[in-house]
Amino acid sequence: MDEEGLAALAHSSRQLLLPPGTTIVEEGEPALAFFNVTRGTVKLFKSLPDGRRQITGFADAGQFLGLSTAQTYSFGAETVDNVRLCRFMRPQLETLLTDYPSFERRLLAAVTDKLAEAQEQMLLLGRKTAREKVASFLLDRMKAFHQTANRRQEAETLASVPMTRVDIADYLGLTIETVSRTISAFRRSHLIASAENHRIRILSVPTLTNIASGQKAE
Amino acid sequence: MDEEGLAALAHSSRQLLLPPGTTIVEEGEPALAFFNVTRGTVKLFKSLPDGRRQITGFADAGQFLGLSTAQTYSFGAETVDNVRLCRFMRPQLETLLTDYPSFERRLLAAVTDKLAEAQEQMLLLGRKTAREKVASFLLDRMKAFHQTANRRQEAETLASVPMTRVDIADYLGLTIETVSRTISAFRRSHLIASAENHRIRILSVPTLTNIASGQKAE
DNA sequence: CGTCCTTTTGATGCTCCTCAAGCGCGGTGG
DNA sequence: CCACCGCGCTTGAGGAGCATCAAAAGGACG
C-alpha cells in the first residue's frame, strides 16, 4: 500500500484505548463501524437466548473485525485484555475501498483467511475430542504469539493465554471444568508448563501436534 | 454489474457438468481454480488423518467456492447431486478482479456472508444439542430451497435434503444414528413429514424454530 | 489479612457414540 | 417375473466422554 493510502487510512480512523471486558460491538446492533486491532486481544462471539455462548475467534494485534454486509452485526465483540484499536466509520470505509483498490484486495484476502480459519475451527468443534481441542488451542496460541511478539529464542515455545477458562471453554465448545482438567493432565504429563504473565510453555511441540491432529501418540 | 463485465465473466469461465460424488477440489492440492455453482449442491469439508470428517458447508446454486489466498486448498469439495458449475482459472480471476471493481466488491460481500454463516455454524457445533442441531439444519435447508426454487405456495414449507445421512451427520458433528433418531422423533411428533424426491415438509415452522434456538417449547 | 473471584479437583449422571441387527428399496441376473 | 444382493436408513442395547453439581484451593486486590 502506498504512502498516500496509509495517510488517508490513518486520517479516516480514530484510535481507541479500552480496558479488559469492554464491549466493542453488540450482537444485533447497527453495523456502523469497522475496526483494526493494534494491540491486545479481542474475542468475537455469538449467543443463544438462554445464555449459551460460542466464541468464534480471537482477534490479536493486526487483525480486522466488524465487517458486515447486513445492516446489523451478527456477532458480539469484547476486549480480553488492554486493547488499542482503530475505528473506521462505515461511509469512510466505503470511500477507502473505492479509492484504494489495493486496500480492498487486502481486505478480501484477510476475510478469505478468516474463512479458512473458521473452517478449521468447525473441524475442531464438530469432530475433535476435548484432549485434541485443548492441544490444538495451545498450539494456535503459540503460533499467534510467534507472529505478534518479538521473536526471541526463548519465546519460540511460549503461548500467550490472556483469556479466562470461561473464554477458552466457550471457544472450544467445552466446560471450564473439562478445560481445566485437560490442561492439568497435560501438565502432569510434562507436555506443558506454566510461565509468568498468563503464558504457557510448550515442552513438546511434536507430541502436542500429534495429539491435536488425532494421532493417539502419547 | 454491467453488460461488458458479464460478457468478460462468461468468456473467461468454462462450464462443467458433474455427476453426484465427483471430487471438485482436493484438500492440499494447488489452488488453481475458482468456481461458481449454477445448479445442484456441493459439499465442502475438512478431514483429520484418521478419516474423521467435518462438512463445513453446502454450496447451492449461485454460490462461489474455491477462493484461497494460500497456494493450496485448505478444504475438499465434492458434488452432492448433479451439479453444473463455472470454472475460472486463477490468473483470469485476478484479471477480472482488477478490471471490474464491482465484481471484487461483490466477492468481498459474498465471502463476508460466508464468514457470518460459518460463525453461526460454530455456535451450532459448539453449543447446540443434537435436537437443536437437526432442527436448525432442517430450517436452513428450507430457507435454501426458498431462494433456489420457484416460490410456489406449496413449496413454502418444503426443505430440500439431497445429501445422505452421513453428510448430514458430518455437517452437524453427530453420528448418522443420532441424526436418524432425531429426525424420526420429529416425525413422530408431527413436526415434519417426508415428501417425494428427497424433500421434507416442515409442519410447524414456529415450533422447529423454537427448538433450533434452544427454547424448550414442545 | 480478609474477601472475592478464578481455577482446580472430585463424585455422579446424562447425552450421544459405539456396536449390532433388521428394514426398505432399487438394481441385477437367473 | 421374482429372488437375490447391496446400500442407505432405522431401531435397539450398552457404554464412554464430557457435563453437571459441589466444594476446596489458589491468587489478586483493597
Side-chain angles (χ1 to χ4, degrees):
Chain A
M1 219 168 152
D2 58 34
E3 287 302 312
E4 190 192 352
L6 282 172
L9 203 76
H11 181 68
S12 62
S13 77
R14 186 175 186 110
Q15 262 201 17
L16 302 174
L17 286 167
L18 305 171
T22 310
T23 297
I24 299 171
V25 317
E26 195 120 26
E27 204 171 337
E29 292 297 303
L32 302 174
F34 167 79
F35 305 88
N36 184 8
V37 181
T38 53
R39 190 168 52 200
T41 302
V42 172
K43 58 188 174 195
L44 307 176
F45 56 88
K46 285 184 69 83
S47 302
L48 288 169
D50 64 4
R52 278 175 288 171
R53 189 181 66 152
Q54 178 66 41
I55 292 185
T56 56
F58 294 104
D60 293 299
Q63 307 275 1
F64 295 103
L65 75 93
L67 205 58
S68 170
T69 59
Q71 286 305 306
T72 59
Y73 292 115
S74 63
F75 54 87
E78 203 180 303
T79 55
V80 170
D81 47 14
N82 280 302
V83 167
R84 188 178 62 193
L85 43 77
C86 296
R87 186 182 65 189
F88 304 85
M89 297 315 282
R90 203 98 179 270
Q92 298 166 5
L93 175 66
E94 310 245 336
T95 308
L96 269 176
L97 287 181
T98 305
D99 292 354
Y100 301 93
S102 68
F103 177 59
E104 179 163 15
R105 191 66 60 94
R106 273 188 46 171
L107 203 52
L108 179 59
V111 180
T112 302
D113 282 346
K114 282 281 169 204
L115 187 58
E117 240 177 65
Q119 291 171 337
E120 184 69 41
Q121 190 67 3
M122 285 191 250
L123 176 63
L124 178 147
L125 290 169
R127 289 303 183 210
K128 289 189 181 179
T129 65
R131 192 178 161 75
E132 291 160 5
K133 285 177 177 180
V134 174
S136 303
F137 172 71
L138 292 173
L139 289 169
D140 282 351
R141 291 312 303 174
M142 184 184 79
K143 286 168 201 147
F145 191 58
H146 261 228
Q147 296 193 332
T148 309
N150 34 2
R151 305 150 173 268
R152 283 165 301 170
Q153 195 71 348
E154 56 169 274
E156 288 256 307
T157 60
L158 268 187
S160 162
V161 187
M163 58 292 284
T164 66
R165 291 287 182 272
V166 176
D167 286 344
I168 300 173
D170 282 350
Y171 180 57
L172 300 178
L174 298 170
T175 59
I176 58 172
E177 293 93 333
T178 299
V179 171
S180 181
R181 273 187 253 272
T182 307
I183 289 181
S184 296
F186 284 159
R187 195 162 20 220
R188 269 194 298 278
S189 308
H190 302 290
L191 295 174
I192 61 173
S194 302
E196 76 293 344
N197 216 7
H198 287 278
R199 304 227 160 111
I200 290 179
R201 181 167 298 284
I202 302 196
L203 300 178
S204 174
V205 175
T207 308
L208 218 58
T209 303
N210 279 340
I211 294 173
S213 65
Q215 350 260 131
K216 51 186 58 174
E218 189 63 16
Chain B
M1 224 169 144
D2 57 35
E3 287 301 312
E4 191 192 352
L6 281 172
L9 203 75
H11 182 69
S12 61
S13 76
R14 186 174 185 110
Q15 262 202 15
L16 304 173
L17 287 166
L18 305 171
T22 310
T23 297
I24 300 171
V25 318
E26 195 119 28
E27 203 172 335
E29 291 297 303
L32 302 174
F34 166 79
F35 305 87
N36 184 9
V37 181
T38 53
R39 190 168 53 199
T41 302
V42 172
K43 58 188 174 194
L44 307 176
F45 55 87
K46 284 182 70 82
S47 302
L48 288 169
D50 64 5
R52 278 176 287 173
R53 189 182 66 153
Q54 178 65 41
I55 292 184
T56 57
F58 294 103
D60 294 299
Q63 307 274 1
F64 296 103
L65 76 93
L67 205 59
S68 169
T69 59
Q71 285 306 305
T72 59
Y73 292 114
S74 62
F75 53 87
E78 205 179 302
T79 56
V80 171
D81 47 12
N82 280 302
V83 167
R84 187 178 62 193
L85 43 77
C86 296
R87 186 182 64 189
F88 303 85
M89 298 315 281
R90 202 96 179 270
Q92 297 166 2
L93 175 66
E94 310 245 337
T95 309
L96 268 177
L97 287 182
T98 305
D99 292 353
Y100 301 93
S102 69
F103 177 59
E104 180 163 16
R105 192 66 60 93
R106 274 188 46 168
L107 203 52
L108 179 59
V111 180
T112 303
D113 282 344
K114 282 280 168 203
L115 187 57
E117 239 178 65
Q119 290 169 338
E120 184 69 39
Q121 190 67 2
M122 285 192 251
L123 176 63
L124 178 147
L125 290 169
R127 289 302 183 209
K128 289 190 180 178
T129 65
R131 192 178 161 76
E132 291 161 5
K133 286 178 176 180
V134 174
S136 304
F137 172 71
L138 291 173
L139 289 169
D140 281 351
R141 292 311 304 173
M142 185 185 79
K143 286 168 202 147
F145 191 56
H146 261 229
Q147 296 195 330
T148 309
N150 33 3
R151 305 151 173 268
R152 283 164 301 171
Q153 195 71 348
E154 57 169 273
E156 289 255 308
T157 60
L158 269 185
S160 163
V161 187
M163 59 291 284
T164 65
R165 291 288 182 272
V166 176
D167 286 344
I168 300 174
D170 282 350
Y171 180 56
L172 300 178
L174 298 170
T175 59
I176 57 173
E177 292 94 332
T178 300
V179 171
S180 182
R181 273 187 254 272
T182 307
I183 289 181
S184 295
F186 284 159
R187 193 161 21 218
R188 268 195 299 278
S189 308
H190 302 290
L191 295 175
I192 62 173
S194 302
E196 75 293 342
N197 216 9
H198 287 278
R199 305 230 160 108
I200 290 179
R201 181 166 299 283
I202 303 196
L203 301 177
S204 176
V205 175
T207 308
L208 219 57
T209 304
N210 280 340
I211 295 173
S213 64
Q215 351 261 129
K216 51 187 57 176
E218 188 64 14

